[in-house]
């Protein structure tokens, strides 16, 4: 996947938010999608993450993970790394 650090810095967020977002990515998204190219990610992959996390994370946190994946994917589209 694209470097999350660049994406987060581009949005100019605080260091605390950066650390929190990076932690969410490393702990909850990267284990599932870290080896995949953006165009290889499927709806089933996202469903798997949400199903696996629903017993250990709050619904709001799961929604934040899905939102972060969307942000990364949209950035990949902007950078022409993947097509819509």
């Amino acid at each position: 996947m694209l470097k999350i650090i660049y994406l987060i810095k581009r949005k100019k967020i605080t260091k605390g938010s950066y650390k929190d977002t990076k932690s969410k990515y490393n702990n909850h998204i990267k284990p599932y999608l870290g080896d995949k190219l953006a165009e290889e990610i499927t709806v089933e992959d996202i469903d798997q993450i949400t199903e696996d996390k629903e017993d250990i994370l709050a619904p709001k946190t799961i929604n934040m993970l899905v939102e972060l994946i969307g942000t990364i994917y949209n950035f990949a589209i902007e950078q022409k790394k993947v097509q819509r």
Side-chain angles (χ1 to χ4, degrees):
M1 274 202 143
L2 297 172
K3 288 189 176 186
I4 191 169
I5 296 168
Y6 178 77
L7 176 64
I8 294 169
K9 284 183 179 178
R10 187 170 167 257
K11 289 188 158 245
K12 298 178 182 166
I13 62 175
T14 65
K15 283 185 181 183
S17 293
Y18 167 78
K19 287 175 90 173
D20 185 53
T21 301
K22 186 176 178 183
S23 175
K24 281 183 176 61
Y25 174 79
N26 285 331
N27 292 323
H28 302 293
I29 298 171
K30 188 175 181 179
Y32 292 87
L33 307 178
D35 294 334
K36 292 188 175 200
L37 298 174
E39 61 266 13
E40 296 173 337
I41 297 170
T42 65
V43 172
E44 289 79 16
D45 293 326
I46 308 306
D47 287 345
Q48 187 65 55
I49 295 170
T50 59
E51 287 174 20
D52 289 353
K53 301 297 178 178
E54 67 186 1
D55 290 335
I56 58 173
L57 297 175
K60 181 178 179 179
T61 304
I62 294 170
N63 287 340
M64 289 170 60
L65 295 177
V66 172
E67 191 175 298
L68 178 56
I69 294 167
T71 300
I72 294 167
Y73 197 80
N74 286 336
F75 181 72
I77 291 170
E78 285 177 22
Q79 298 298 307
K80 300 189 186 334
K81 302 286 184 188
V82 67
Q83 294 181 7
R84 283 190 173 213

